[in-house]
Amino acid sequence: MTSPHIEMATENARRMLASERADFRSAETVLYVMGQMTAPEAAQEVERVVTPHEKLHGAFRRVKDELHALHALQDAEKLLDVLQNAEHQVRAKAATIPAFLELRGCEPVPRELTCTDAAQRALLGCERWDFDVFALDRATNGHALVALGGRLLGEKCSSLNISSDVLHAFLSSLEGVYRKDVAYHTATHAADVVHSAAFLFRNGMFLPSVDESQVALLELAVLIAAAAHDAAHPGVNADFLMRTSDPLAVLYNDKSILENMHAAICFRLLSGVESTLLAALEPAQRSQLRTWVIAMILATEVHSTRRGCAALPRRP
C-alpha cells in the first residue's frame, strides 16, 4: 500500500506536469517534487502523465534526462560518503600506529651482493676479534649487516628450524631501516656490534644462567638485539629529543626513548609480513626471546650502561 507521503508527492507531480504555467512545468520544479519519490515511482509517473504530444516536442526527454542526472548525482553522493567513511577508517587506523613504525617493506638484498668471491673472502676470519667489518661493507656494496648476520645467525636459525630465506628477509628489512644520513649509528655499526656480541658469546664471556636447551635461543636473541640495537637511529641523543619535545619523547615519557623505539621497530619487523622469523618458534620460545631482546636493547641506554660498568668487579 502506497504511503500518504508518496501519494501527495505523486499528485503534486501530476498537477505540475499537466499545468499550463511555465514555472510549474520547469524541469527544476518537477525534479524537486520527484526527489520526494523513489526512482522507479518517479520514472513511472513521468511516463504516465506526459502526453504523446509533449514527448514529440522534447519536454518529456528533457525531464527524463534531468531525472536521470538527479539519480546519478544521488549515487555519486552515496559513493562519496562511502569513500569518505573508508578514508576516515584508514586515518583512524593509521593514528594508532606511531609514525616511526610505518615502515615500508624492503626488498631482500640480492644474494649476488653478499655471495661474491670478494664478500666470501671478506667474511673469512669473522670468528676473530680483529675482523674488519669495513672491508666486508665495501665488498658487499654496503650490506655488511645482511652478509655477516646471515653467516653468524645462520647456524642458530637452522637449529631452530628457521629458514635461511626468512632470516635473509628479516636482515634485509632491518638493514633498510638504518639511516644513511647519520655518521655513526649506521647498519655498518650494527654489523660491527653483531660481530662483537657473537665473539664474546662464543668465547664464554657471557655467563648465561639458562638450561643447555635454551643456549641456541639465547644466542639468537643476543645477535638479534645486537643487530637491531640502533635501528632507525635519528643521529641525535635522548636529551635533544626531550628538549625539543619530539613525539618520541612524548610517546615514551622521556624514559629510554631511543632504546624503546629500537626494540619496537625490531619486533615490528619480526612480526611483519615480509619476515615471519618468529613463526617457527614455539609460543614459549617466542615469549622468552622477546623478553631477552627487549632487555638487552634497553640495557644499551647510556645510564644503564654506566650502572652496569660500575657494578663490574675492579681489579685489586
Side-chain angles (χ1 to χ4, degrees), residues 80-98:
L80 181 61
D81 289 340
V82 171
L83 293 176
Q84 289 176 337
N85 185 50
E87 181 182 8
H88 175 73
Q89 292 179 350
V90 170
R91 289 181 181 274
K93 182 177 180 181
T96 65
I97 303 176

Side-chain angles (χ1 to χ4, degrees), residues 109-111 113-116 118-120 122-123 126 131 133 136-137 139-154 167-168 171-172 175 187 191 194:
V109 173
R111 290 186 181 273
L113 294 176
T114 60
C115 296
T116 63
Q120 295 306 307
L123 280 168
C126 64
F131 174 71
V133 72
L136 176 62
D137 201 54
T140 57
N141 195 30
H143 298 295
L145 181 58
V146 173
L148 185 62
R151 172 68 63 88
L152 296 178
L153 275 79
L167 174 62
H168 185 77
L171 291 172
S172 297
E175 186 181 77
V194 168

Side-chain angles (χ1 to χ4, degrees), residues 57-237:
H57 282 77
F60 171 72
R61 179 180 296 278
R62 184 174 68 255
V63 172
K64 190 171 184 180
D65 287 347
E66 295 196 23
L67 184 63
H68 176 74
L70 176 65
H71 295 155
L73 179 60
Q74 291 173 340
D75 291 341
E77 290 175 345
K78 291 179 182 178
L79 178 60
L80 181 61
D81 289 340
V82 171
L83 293 176
Q84 289 176 337
N85 185 50
E87 181 182 8
H88 175 73
Q89 292 179 350
V90 170
R91 289 181 181 274
K93 182 177 180 181
T96 65
I97 303 176
F100 71 92
L101 288 182
E102 293 181 358
L103 305 173
R104 296 181 179 179
C106 297
E107 292 295 325
V109 173
R111 290 186 181 273
E112 293 79 9
L113 294 176
T114 60
C115 296
T116 63
D117 291 341
Q120 295 306 307
R121 285 194 300 270
L123 280 168
L124 293 175
C126 64
E127 72 283 353
R128 298 198 309 267
W129 180 252
D130 61 351
F131 174 71
D132 188 351
V133 72
F134 295 103
L136 176 62
D137 201 54
R138 290 190 296 270
T140 57
N141 195 30
H143 298 295
L145 181 58
V146 173
L148 185 62
R151 172 68 63 88
L152 296 178
L153 275 79
E155 295 178 2
K156 299 306 167 187
C157 285
S158 178
S159 66
L160 293 167
N161 298 318
I162 298 172
S163 75
S164 60
D165 289 339
V166 168
L167 174 62
H168 185 77
F170 166 67
L171 291 172
S172 297
S173 295
L174 180 60
E175 186 181 77
V177 303
Y178 275 91
R179 294 174 55 162
K180 295 182 175 16
D181 60 344
V182 298
Y184 180 75
H185 303 92
T186 63
T188 307
H189 164 66
D192 188 38
V193 175
V194 168
H195 166 258
S196 300
F199 178 87
L200 295 173
F201 191 96
R202 295 176 182 182
N203 285 276
M205 298 182 188
F206 283 12
L207 300 174
S209 56
V210 298
D211 296 335
E212 186 67 26
S213 60
Q214 289 188 303
V215 171
L217 184 67
L218 176 59
E219 184 173 355
L220 178 63
V222 168
L223 299 184
I224 288 176
H229 82 283
D230 270 340
H233 199 294
V236 297
N237 61 18

Side-chain angles (χ1 to χ4, degrees), residues 256-272:
S256 302
I257 302 166
L258 292 169
E259 293 71 28
N260 274 305
M261 179 191 73
H262 303 322
I265 288 176
C266 176
F267 282 95
R268 178 78 170 172
L269 294 175
L270 283 170
S271 60

